[in-house]
Amino acid sequence: MSLDLSQFHQVFFEESQEHLDTLENGLMSLDIDAPDMELLNSIFRAAHSIKGSSGVFGFSALGQITHVLENQLDDWRKEVRRPVTEHIDEMLAVVDDLRALLASYQAGEEIDDAWVGERIESMEAVFKVAAGAQTSAAPAAAAKEESGFGFFDDEEEDDTGFGFFDESEETAYSGNDDQDHDHEGYGFFAAQTEATPEPNEANTEAYGFFDQTGDASSGGAKRPTAVASSSAKPQTAAAANSAANQSIRVNVDKVDSLINLVGELVITQSMLAMMGKDISNIRQEKFEAVVEELQRNTREIQESVMSIRMLPVSFVFNRFPRVVRDTASKLGKKVELVIEGGDTEIDKGLVEKLADPLTHLVRNSIDHGIETPEKRKQLGKPETGIVRLSASQQGGNIVLSIMDDGGGLSRQRILSKARERGMPVDDNMPDHKVWQLIFEAGFSTAEQVTDVSGRGVGMDVVKKNLTSLGGRIDIESVQGFGTTLKLMLPLTLAILDGMAVAVGTETYIVPLASIVESIQPSKQEIKTISGDELLDVRGHYWPVVRLHKAMQVDTEQQKLHQGIVVLVESGKQRFGILADRLIGQQQVVIKSIEQHYKRIDGVAGATIMGDGHIALILDLASLAKGMKEIPAMEAAS
Amino acid sequence: MTVQTDNEVRYEFLTFALGEEIYGMDIMQVKEIRGYEAVTRIANAPPFIKGVINLRGEVVPIVDLRIKFLDATPVYNEFTIVIVVQVHDRLVGMVVDGVSDVIGLTRDEIKPSPDFGVAFDSRFLSGLASQEEQMIILVNIEALISSNELGLIGEDAAALKEAVDSQV
């Protein structure tokens, strides 16, 4: 069998995607006045890696364009020229084009060679214009050419960036580029390589495989890890890099199937525990002890398997420096982006779905929130506005917030807009209710429509997307001081906190986040409107969905006062769900029904209970739709 | 048993009973055979869809073919059999009265089914065959599962349904 390169294509696409990210982030953080050599090197390496491997796979357009980029970067790196803003802008545009090209290759589309030619010309034009007489770039690039295509090669003296699957050593190495102990860069743990000042000891440590070796040779010095944490910046950076690269790529399907299997293991384990209760002799105690041991182990396995799916939120955040830069320059504003808590971990499924809503919110903050530099000056604020993007974990939730120090939301304007649209509002509405109005479809308070936003499409979609992820969004705003949008999301899409309720012989799960309270209504609390029963709970009227009716289950308890009513809030709708009894609160693993069956009305998914049975998870929004009509939600606010 | 000549391809079928009748399905689509267990009911489903079961972590619908095709009021006991079939990525459990055998048939032994006159919808038949005086009704499982009629897939998906190849 001949070597089929296509099997590596996926890896190439992923790698190139990452290199482009490195390139983009590097360019964004490059300080034009004092370029950081290490950063320049890493930008260069990223470009070089793309060029090298695209050559190997025959993606020539990608290679050609990157080649021009690389030449320019090489000049910067060698200090033949100095980076200028104009060039960085062009490079960022090139990065976008490269992404598009990569997508075309990935989709197997034809590449327009004429366009590639033009693009290269336009790039060269831009780079030459500002470069003036500097022409030394050409020979340098030519010399570079031969060494550029190594596949698994990381022993190059100069071009350290070509390893295909491994960057850790190179990163460590390049960090020491200008120092005379280059050889230390090949240690297994980058953190240890330069921990000790004496060259001799450093050497022994650099090649050590285990912590202990280092300890022994340096005669009871501090543990290398401790040293590393106190060492200077380049070293820690290298250490962080090498740690980040201690990873492998795994297909998500494999992880999902692992999660599935572990879920099964947990169920089997609890079945075993139940059976253990029937053993009625001297063995019972021993058996229970063993089952307990098993239980602990399976829980730990489950936790660590779940954690495989978790990714740091920085995967989403990293795109924002670019978004902010582009948006701000388009609008002529000065904006500084502050990112906090990027290492907070979140489910991979969520990471992908968060990107769009967050981009929308950040752009909104810049467009509607941050004032123009002139206006800020007038107001006595610094010219540069701040957008703060932060993530943190709070219990089973992740909280993302987008904060700006702009003008804040205008209560008056929102209220008058709402009146124009014929929405029921009054001047005494509390702030948080006013702010929620901007999530209405088609609502926009922008005085003029800009390129970026203001067309009134968006906030409703953002809210819908977040709600579908099981999240919610809060706004805090103080006029003149800024706006904070807070998104609360579940840590993972795979697990849900639910309340199990029983109806007849069936069990259903109500998402805990939507539950307001559960009550056993008294007869006085039950009112009727033309025969339809409503619950009057402390001045609010709640329509009731009878679960046994909605789900066609036989049950004897059909009267409101016989069962228990779970009051829920879903989107704008509030209603009660009548069930026979509550079973209890528990975390459930969400399973798809639609994989093997069609969508079921009123059901969001299924889960497997401890006894191996399936329980359906209620979809409150579609359950509410099943009701004829929901009478006025509230008597008075 | 039929004798197999060198150049004849034999297709293997799992035969199963629905009432008095013997049916056969392509063995390659059978994932496993298991006993009937309690199902979780689904609201607004036709009577032949009994509900869903947990098949090692997957939520799999259970169709009682006896209700669907014989209009019978079936009994469920420890001998009731569920054949779990897999078509592409979809898993479906089929409740039948019993599983009998695995037989091999050559193309010549499979006769086309009459267009009408049988209760079993001819769209879901891929042919008839006989084995020792017994007629075996060969079921096109793929057509059955992806049909709108069984109600296993949503209407959107049904609209996208590919043209169904007969298995034989």
Side-chain angles (χ1 to χ4, degrees), chain A residues 332-569:
Chain A
K333 294 182 180 178
K334 288 189 178 169
V335 182
E336 186 194 339
L337 177 72
V338 181
I339 291 180
E340 287 166 349
D343 53 358
T344 312
E345 292 200 321
I346 187 167
D347 190 87
K348 182 180 160 54
L350 274 172
V351 164
E352 283 154 9
K353 290 177 178 149
L354 271 178
D356 284 348
L358 276 183
T359 309
H360 191 94
L361 295 177
V362 168
R363 287 176 150 200
N364 260 2
S365 286
I366 299 170
D367 191 16
H368 299 316
I370 305 283
E371 309 92 333
T372 55
E374 302 83 59
K375 189 162 181 209
R376 289 184 68 91
K377 229 178 188 172
Q378 278 174 23
L379 293 166
K381 289 185 183 179
E383 277 187 29
T384 306
I386 292 175
V387 172
R388 191 181 298 269
L389 202 55
S390 72
S392 63
Q393 191 183 336
Q394 289 179 7
N397 281 309
I398 182 146
V399 179
L400 300 175
S401 72
I402 301 116
M403 204 184 89
D404 66 66
D405 67 346
L409 293 172
S410 162
R411 199 184 146 92
Q412 267 70 40
R413 207 149 80 204
I414 293 175
L415 283 175
S416 67
K417 271 275 168 176
R419 278 203 192 88
E420 261 172 49
R421 294 170 47 91
M423 288 173 2
V425 291
D426 68 85
D427 286 333
N428 298 322
M429 276 167 84
D431 274 354
H432 70 267
K433 288 211 168 157
V434 176
W435 306 151
Q436 289 291 325
L437 289 173
I438 66 171
F439 294 116
E440 295 295 325
F443 200 92
S444 173
T445 54
E447 275 150 5
Q448 63 191 63
V449 171
T450 64
D451 261 2
V452 181
S453 59
R455 287 188 187 81
V457 258
M459 286 310 262
D460 57 321
V461 180
V462 167
K463 182 160 186 184
K464 216 170 89 194
N465 287 347
L466 290 170
T467 316
S468 74
L469 297 176
R472 61 193 174 85
I473 180 164
D474 288 335
I475 304 179
E476 285 162 27
S477 183
V478 179
Q479 197 153 6
F481 290 93
T483 308
T484 302
L485 287 136
K486 259 195 185 150
L487 318 181
M488 308 268 283
L489 288 155
L491 268 184
T492 162
L493 285 181
I495 293 182
L496 173 97
D497 268 318
M499 174 66 81
V501 300
V503 183
T505 53
E506 303 282 337
T507 306
Y508 292 89
I509 309 288
V510 185
L512 203 63
S514 307
I515 298 182
V516 179
E517 62 176 301
S518 303
I519 56 164
Q520 264 183 309
S522 64
K523 283 194 174 153
Q524 293 88 326
E525 285 171 319
I526 302 166
K527 317 278 177 196
T528 58
I529 296 182
S530 63
D532 274 341
E533 281 171 311
L534 281 183
L535 273 187
D536 172 7
V537 184
R538 295 187 294 273
H540 294 248
Y541 291 100
W542 301 72
V544 177
V545 174
R546 289 170 166 74
L547 206 51
H548 67 91
K549 249 189 210 164
M551 293 292 149
Q552 298 174 331
V553 184
D554 290 330
T555 176
E556 280 149 29
Q557 295 167 344
Q558 305 194 345
K559 296 260 164 34
L560 284 188
H561 59 89
Q562 287 173 337
I564 191 141
V565 177
V566 182
L567 302 179
V568 295
E569 203 167 27

Side-chain angles (χ1 to χ4, degrees), chain A residues 37-84:
Chain A
M37 275 325 279
E38 199 182 321
L39 185 63
L40 274 177
N41 277 326
S42 81
I43 299 173
F44 174 81
R45 273 198 307 274
H48 200 96
S49 302
I50 297 171
K51 190 188 84 175
S53 38
S54 58
V56 171
F57 290 111
F59 298 135
S60 56
L62 208 56
Q64 286 165 16
I65 293 184
T66 320
H67 178 67
V68 184
L69 193 69
E70 186 197 343
N71 285 347
Q72 182 74 3
L73 287 168
D74 196 36
D75 286 356
W76 289 359
R77 188 172 74 125
K78 300 213 167 114
E79 295 183 314
V80 179
R81 303 182 200 185
R82 292 185 71 83
V84 290

Side-chain angles (χ1 to χ4, degrees), chain A residues 33 68 98 103 253 279 368 438 472 504 552 599 614:
Chain A
D33 301 323
V68 184
L98 289 175
D253 288 348
I279 300 174
H368 299 316
I438 66 171
R472 61 193 174 85
Q552 298 174 331
R599 208 191 129 63
I614 288 177

Side-chain angles (χ1 to χ4, degrees), chain B residues 8-84:
Chain B
E8 276 180 323
V9 187
R10 277 160 71 93
Y11 300 89
E12 292 201 305
F13 290 87
L14 175 75
T15 61
F16 57 94
L18 290 180
E20 300 293 302
E21 296 163 0
I22 300 294
Y23 291 78
M25 68 169 87
D26 185 353
I27 192 90
M28 297 309 288
Q29 288 174 323
V30 176
K31 191 170 160 73
E32 64 183 276
I33 297 168
R34 51 195 288 133
Y36 186 81
E37 59 188 295
V39 296
T40 297
R41 282 198 49 265
I42 289 173
N44 303 312
F48 55 82
I49 291 182
K50 301 302 295 177
V52 286
I53 61 159
N54 163 26
L55 185 73
R56 288 183 297 281
E58 306 254 1
V59 178
V60 176
I62 298 293
V63 176
D64 196 326
L65 290 184
R66 301 172 298 178
I67 305 177
K68 171 70 185 149
F69 293 117
L70 302 180
D71 227 355
T73 312
V75 285
Y76 298 93
N77 56 31
E78 60 265 49
F79 305 111
T80 309
I81 294 291
V82 175
I83 305 173
V84 179

Side-chain angles (χ1 to χ4, degrees), chain A residues 12 30 90 125 144 168 192 281-282 330 380 446 470 477 486 513 544 557:
Chain A
F12 165 75
L30 195 64
E90 174 69 3
K144 195 102 285 117
S168 56
Q192 297 170 25
N281 57 28
I282 187 118
K330 209 179 266 176
S477 183
K486 259 195 185 150
V544 177
Q557 295 167 344

